[in-house]
Amino acid sequence: MSLPPRSLATAALDTHGRRTHTCGALRREHVGREVVLKGWVDTRRDLGGVIFIDLRDRYGLTQIVFSPQDDPEAHELGNTLRNEFVVSVRGIVAPRSEETVNPKLPTGEVEVRVHELIILNPAEPTPFPVSAHEEKRRLANEDLRLRYRYLDLRRPDLQNNLMLRHRLYQATRRFFDRHDFVEVETPVLMKSTPEGARDYLVPSRLYPGKFYALPQSPQTYKQILMVAGFDRYFQIVKCFRDEDLRADRQPEFTQIDVEITFATEEMVFELIEGLMKDVWKLTRGIDIETPFPRMTYDEAVRTYGSDKPDTRFGLKLHDLSAVFEGSGFRVFDDVLAREGRIVALRVPGYGDKGRGYMDRLDKDIVRKRIGAGGLIYFRLPSEGSQTLSSVKEHVLPPAYVDAAVEAVGARPGDLVLVLAGADPKVFEQMGTLRLHMARELDLIPEGNDGPWHFLWVTDFPLLEWDEDERRYVARHHPFTSPRSEDLDAMFDDPGATKARAYDLVLNGFEIGGGSIRIHNREVQSQMFRLLGIDEEEAEHRFGFLLDAFRYGAPPHGGIALGVDRIAMILTGGASLREVIAFPKTQSAQDLMVQSPDTVDPHQLEELHIRVTPPEEE
Ligand code: ASP
């Protein structure tokens, strides 16, 4: 057996044994003690032959000092230290002089005068500066940080985020345990559960041509657990959805998944409000108020133009369809004839905006970004009493403009924006414009100091018309129960059927969603039929569930909450990537391990997979 080279052997030899303290622990009361600290070299200063180093670990920073008077040998070796070297030091805790006390650091009253140094591992110059000192960090571009994620994760901000996430897990587990829930793991290699995205598939070696699917959610398993009598289930679980990525999505994400037997909406709401209360208290020390307000889906869309309204500010929408009835203005008449709607937004203080601003708003935001046909507006200058309409008087008579201005409660100095279009699309477009204006008006609080506007959105439509597939698709998933009063009419007017589904919204983000489920085999089969899934396919894909419903399936319901989103909001982060240890980029890659990646041809052969080269663009 060959011995390792000498330098390796020495480096591995840590004769100091255990550390006595972390780098965040030492205080004035430790003065005079001999201590052993271990950590990373954060910053280094040489002053008159004395070397000062901030030693870092996840607990904090401690200043360690090498002086030729204290120990010439340690000082000499100390001279070789560079940023991010990992070291072990033995030394004596000493008070700092009055003028060198650092009030910003908890350890700032003391330093450790080193008499023994072991370099546990040197480090090459890092691709970007790493430091616990705010002012010494320059944030490198994100791709570089993701590639060297282990360096980026040394930043206190990211460490704090992951610590918060840890507390969130613990609060959740304690909460559910207290409420008699059972944590059950469900398979990762499973069969497709439709949650509206593409599946990630895993080929089977033993069954050529067959595939497992990674869970988009453990929906069917948790329902089966209810049939099995588990009564109350929860799991902190990874879910996978192969979606075209948007800014606030990750292909794999974490949910707090919950299911309750004999559930009602009220039971779910009360439970989750209690959980949120604990989470906010235990992660941030904040008391939030419960119960949360509720709003139906229809009201949310009509009032805020969104099914996840940010209710931290007003700027509510006004439906002016009745006001413009019979106005003779062709654009409005046409829309109303097609059962569309005319929707307005009052923007306080914008009545003096000039043509240039209005033209840009129309072109860049309304048409380009929002995709609406065009903007109509009425300006009420702060001086004078005349309302200036973007539509000429002979086209839209002033009486209608005045009625609109009155209906939205506009005063001199206000601007009234109007969009006309199909229902409910025009509300959603105005909802996007509302958010744009709110940003301009600085109405959206930034950071993570609240306020916390939780909201239950209820009575969602059961189905959604999919124009591409020319059929109805489930708005949540096919296991969601219609409201019982809608059961009979489900087939006559599918689009108008409401579901026993609810979302939990916080400050304009959907942080959870769930429903009371179908537990009756017949209703479930009807639901599949409504979605255009014929009996054979239903049997093939969901036979196990339909079977389970034959043998005493209790009524049940539940919810799933998005851990990454909640953590992002709690930390005030701008992106999900800030609260995930090893996130994917927006184009679904892990830049550190370089995945996805090609595999050995042999592996493909075993899996009976042949890869065809991607078609040339
Ligand atoms: N499985 C659903 C989801 O992932 C949540 C639920 O209905 O409980 O969105």
Side-chain angles (χ1 to χ4, degrees), residues 195 217 219 222 241 255 257 477 513-515 517 558-560:
E195 295 275 3
S217 87
Q219 184 62 35
K222 69 172 170 175
R241 296 184 192 173
Q255 292 197 333
D257 197 36
H477 49 58
S515 59
R517 327 295 183 189
I559 191 166

Side-chain angles (χ1 to χ4, degrees), residues 382-564:
S382 40
E383 307 287 335
S385 56
Q386 208 199 345
T387 300
L388 307 171
S389 168
S390 66
V391 188
K392 294 211 167 56
E393 265 183 36
H394 64 274
V395 181
L396 177 62
Y400 286 92
V401 175
D402 293 343
V405 163
E406 197 186 324
V408 302
R411 289 186 294 267
D414 291 351
L415 168 69
V416 182
L417 303 175
V418 182
L419 297 178
D423 184 13
K425 196 162 179 190
V426 63
F427 288 98
E428 287 156 12
Q429 292 172 330
M430 192 53 109
T432 312
L433 188 55
R434 168 181 180 263
L435 288 181
H436 172 84
M437 298 315 301
R439 248 171 264 135
E440 261 202 44
L441 290 166
D442 224 358
L443 293 179
I444 307 182
E446 284 188 10
N448 58 346
D449 294 330
W452 312 98
H453 279 231
F454 289 91
L455 175 73
W456 288 109
V457 178
T458 63
D459 299 271
F460 276 83
L462 184 68
L463 306 159
E464 230 167 31
W465 181 251
D466 185 321
E467 201 47 58
D468 295 336
E469 296 196 26
R470 313 242 7 111
R471 66 175 182 96
Y472 280 104
V473 291
R475 182 159 178 125
H476 274 76
H477 49 58
F479 314 109
T480 297
S481 175
R483 283 193 314 202
S484 48
E485 61 265 40
D486 290 356
L487 258 180
D488 292 336
M490 202 161 107
F491 281 92
D492 305 333
D493 192 359
T497 309
K498 292 283 195 271
R500 293 182 71 183
Y502 33 78
D503 276 358
L504 181 57
V505 172
L506 170 58
N507 295 352
F509 289 97
E510 179 201 327
I511 59 167
S515 59
I516 303 302
R517 327 295 183 189
I518 298 169
H519 64 278
N520 175 292
R521 189 185 145 83
E522 195 39 47
V523 178
Q524 187 64 70
S525 300
Q526 280 183 14
M527 183 69 187
F528 288 142
R529 232 172 291 144
L530 203 56
L531 296 173
I533 304 175
D534 65 30
E535 215 148 310
E536 202 180 326
E537 194 189 346
E539 193 51 43
H540 174 205
R541 291 176 61 190
F542 306 113
F544 63 96
L545 190 67
L546 292 171
D547 274 354
F549 283 180
R550 283 179 209 269
Y551 301 108
H556 57 281
I559 191 166
L561 302 158
V563 169
D564 310 292

